[in-house]
């Protein structure tokens, strides 16, 4: 089979992907600087699920599968020399690139986090591309981008896969057809870095023939996959605190501890969702269907369904009986937006995605109820406001309590 | 008058701009890390004109004008703390941002230079924006971008000022009007960083109300301005070597030493040009006409005329009698392109630009002939190829000599 580097392979999406690719028989090397664990420590937070160290994880995997996944500790943004040496010696067929700071609220926390997110994500992605060119390696890069680069302002039409067909008037007013990278409207510094990544990929595909697939992914939910269930030490992480907890995880934890579900503003923000099991499957499909050398960047939308946040809250409320509360919004964003996204390519490749209504109950029983004793209530509150005027929303008196008053939590899309 | 920080104020465009703004009565602070001088030292190159150290320059300016320009040594990409403290204590009305690595060939030289250009330019610009938000300062940022972000592939229509009006089909096929950031097609890592800067500005203008004017500038030519002529120690830099020498400067030096003018490929690449005296004047006009808080980024095209490289060579040949030679092209670019650019805004503000036919003779007499003894012939050869296949062009035998054989010099747009 192929040799595959999984950058960020210790993270929420990267870990189950690495296991699945190893399960399929690929020779997998995880590259990670464990920064996500460091950030947890810095925030005094931890995954709701009791995750093991990377060594214990890898030993457990060898035990249950007989397969070896290797691990390389590399900071891809700061340690170019190691990254370049690794690429040059391993000469992988594909590199799956998850290694970025991925929380929008964390990226808005303050000057340190804004700059860290920009420097880490942009320099990391650029280093990778430069290393491939230097090694003169024809390797397929599969990158995880976000739905958020399209902007959450309501396009007025179904969002295509990365490229937009437009008509431009020429000097005589006649309309010329052009197909352009979808003009991005990122909604946070984190999303901004993904818009920047797109330009980097476009450039290196054009100038050096680097083959890139960019997966514009929705909010990933769910915790376990077929492979992570094989051994307790393989359990995947579940983030629920103010920065990394995505909206659904936060609702599930609020429900489990008897808090109201806190919805920002009107909850009219529409987001796309995908189950982690499908993330893993989509990466498998992307690897199996690479672009050709000289092709433009292949951009695929990786999402199963779209929902308004208030509808998601209602869905969780139906499964758990939790109350829904509306609170001020600390984000600079449109109160309501329309989001329709084409996922034609993955559908065409056979993806039949898991929907929220299919697996939400499993998630509740398997994770949020099971680990409810591990919930740290002090971690639920959101700490990041998007700008000066939105900060007011966060500084309102704390109205949250088990007595069902709302606290201005970040609705916690977290990506 | 106003307080103005000039980032990169020791450079080719920044120095005459700082002098002019000081001449107009503004309180000017130059911020620079002198990296351009360091790169000269690293390449064993130097300006054709004998430039003075920053201290000598500033003393000479005080002597001739009676005005004080202050200098702060700060690396804006690496020393955020100093930059933030400076912004917060000085609280300038405007910041002119020239502080980037600005040579396309240098940015393509190898992995070190590619990564340096990306990290320096993107992190520097981002640091500046973050510092403004942190200081809660409503200050106008005037940034120098490049014409090159529009791409040199031939748009098929006159290039508007930063934004493109397009029609997008909605779900029913009806055409909706949208105005988008011009989709960029950068032609080098350097140009890529300017495309990235655009996204950064768009984001911070939208999220934090930062007021930004982005000047998409053509190739700047000419050396002296009204102010730099006032004292020999104020002389501006003139770059002619393989990396930083722009096409016209390289032609002028080749002519002065009796080399043929080396034109890449067919010389069919069209570029936009502007005299440095007009650069300075445009920045003055941009400062006097800021966007309002909440406005989108104001993008202006800063160019006087467009010419094909072979026509430029012929023009120089007419003034100097030099022979024109065609050599292989080390750049990954279209052989011929059409480039028509709107500069309606600056024209409307009263700019009546200096054209090549007006001032080329002065430039020859005042600079390239005058300093011909300072030419270092070993510096003329270009060292950067855009990619593997273009490297072949550079590795051809050296056919250049005073006997009028061509050497595959970079045509040296250099920006
Ligand atoms: N989780 C989601 O809902 C979601 C949605 C859309 C897109 N994505 C994207 O998918 C990718 C993975 O997301 P995730 O949820 O698994 O995030 P995560 O934070 O759990 O995992 C990211 C991993 O990358 C590592 N990493 C970060 N910077 C690194 C560096 N400089 N060098 C080496 N390793 C580094 C971290 O230590 C971590 O293990 C991200 O790029 C994210 O933007 C995630
Ligand atoms: N020269 C041209 O033809 C031209 C054309 C279009 C656009 N521009 C743009 O105009 C700007 C100025 O160009 P120039 O020709 O004067 O270049 P230059 O290299 O002569 O000047 C840039 C200055 O910025 C400084 N600098 C670079 N990085 C810095 C950092 N991290 N911190 C502090 N100072 C730093 C350098 O030391 C130098 O003095 C650039 O952004 C360039 O891209 C230039």
């Amino acid at each position: 089979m192929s040799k595959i580097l999984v950058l960020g392979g210790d993270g929420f999406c990267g870990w189950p992907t690495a296991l699945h690719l190893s399960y399929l028989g690929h020779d997998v090397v995880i590259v990670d600087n464990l920064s996500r664990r460091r950030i947890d420590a810095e925030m005094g937070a931890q995954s709701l699920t009791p995750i093991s160290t990377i060594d214990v994880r890898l030993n457990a995997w060898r035990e249950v599968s007989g397969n070896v996944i290797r691990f390389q500790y590399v900071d891809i943004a700061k340690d170019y020399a190691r990254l370049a040496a690794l690429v040059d010696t391993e000469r992988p067929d594909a590199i799956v690139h998850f290694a970025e700071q991925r929380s929008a609220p964390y990226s808005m926390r303050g000057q340190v986090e804004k700059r860290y997110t920009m420097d880490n994500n942009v320099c990391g992605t650029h280093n990778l591309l430069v290393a491939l060119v230097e090694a003169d390696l024809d390797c397929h890069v599969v990158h995880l981008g976000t739905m958020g680069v399209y902007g959450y302002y309501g396009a007025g039409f179904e969002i295509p896969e990365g490229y937009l067909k437009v008509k431009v008037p020429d000097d005589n007013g006649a309309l010329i057809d052009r197909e352009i990278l979808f003009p991005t409207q990122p909604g946070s510094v984190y999303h901004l870095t993904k818009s920047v990544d797109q330009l980097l990929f476009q450039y290196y595909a054009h100038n050096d023939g680097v083959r890139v697939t960019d997966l514009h992914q929705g909010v990933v939910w769910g915790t376990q996959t077929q492979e992570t269930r094989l051994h307790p030490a393989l359990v995947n992480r579940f983030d629920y605190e103010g920065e990394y907890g995505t909206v659904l995880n936060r609702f599930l934890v609020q429900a489990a501890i008897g808090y109201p579900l806190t919805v920002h503003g009107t909850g009219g923000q529409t987001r796309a969702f995908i189950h982690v099991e499908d993330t893993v499957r989509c990466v498998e499909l992307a690897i199996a269907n690479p672009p050709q050398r000289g092709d433009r960047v292949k951009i695929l939308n990786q999402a199963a369904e779209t929902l308004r946040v208030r509808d998601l809250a209602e869905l969780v409320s139906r499964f758990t009986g939790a109350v829904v509360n509306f609170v001020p919004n600390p984000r600079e964003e449109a109160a309501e937006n329309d989001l329709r996204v084409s996922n034609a390519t993955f559908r065409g490749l056979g993806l039949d995605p898991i929907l929220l209504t299919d697996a939400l109950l499993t998630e509740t029983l398997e994770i949020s109820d099971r680990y409810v004793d591990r919930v740290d209530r002090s971690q639920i509150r959101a700490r990041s406001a998007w700008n000066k005027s939105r900060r007011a929303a966060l500084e309102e008196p704390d109205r949250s309590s088990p007595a069902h008053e709302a606290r201005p939590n970040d609705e916690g899309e977290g990506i």
Side-chain angles (χ1 to χ4, degrees), chain A residues 328-341:
Chain A
N329 190 353
R331 295 186 174 215
E332 183 61 43
E333 65 182 358
E336 306 261 331
N337 75 296
D338 148 55
L339 180 70
R340 278 164 298 134
V341 247

Side-chain angles (χ1 to χ4, degrees), chain A residues 78-211:
Chain A
K78 291 209 178 131
D79 198 346
Y80 174 79
R82 268 174 111 129
L83 174 66
L86 187 69
V87 164
D88 199 29
T89 32
E90 294 287 350
R91 306 196 78 75
D93 303 290
I95 297 182
V96 192
H97 174 21
F98 293 102
E100 299 189 275
Q101 192 300 99
R102 73 109 176 112
S103 156
Y106 186 80
S107 80
M108 299 307 288
R109 217 173 158 183
Q111 58 90 359
V112 172
E113 292 83 0
K114 286 179 188 178
R115 296 188 303 107
Y116 166 70
T117 302
M118 181 63 57
D119 301 358
N120 186 63
N121 294 7
V122 174
C123 301
T125 299
H126 190 243
N127 281 349
L128 172 63
L129 293 164
V130 172
L132 289 175
V133 174
E134 283 293 301
D136 195 11
L137 181 67
D138 181 18
C139 153
H140 177 204
V141 176
V142 178
H143 172 255
L144 275 287
T146 161
M147 215 84 247
V149 296
Y150 294 124
Y152 291 129
Y153 296 91
F157 48 85
E158 188 187 63
I159 291 179
E161 302 202 89
Y163 297 93
L164 186 64
K165 292 196 167 119
V166 299
K167 292 180 187 292
V168 190
D170 72 7
D171 296 333
N172 308 314
L175 293 178
I176 328 178
D177 287 307
R178 285 277 185 279
E179 194 168 9
I180 60 172
L181 258 186
F182 195 98
T184 60
Q185 279 196 297
S188 72
V189 169
Y190 157 70
H191 292 99
L192 177 58
T193 65
K194 298 286 184 171
S195 300
V196 171
D197 284 344
Q198 279 208 90
L199 292 183
L200 269 46
F201 294 134
Q202 172 186 263
Y203 177 73
Y204 281 89
H206 176 81
N207 193 71
D208 299 282
V210 177
R211 293 185 293 128

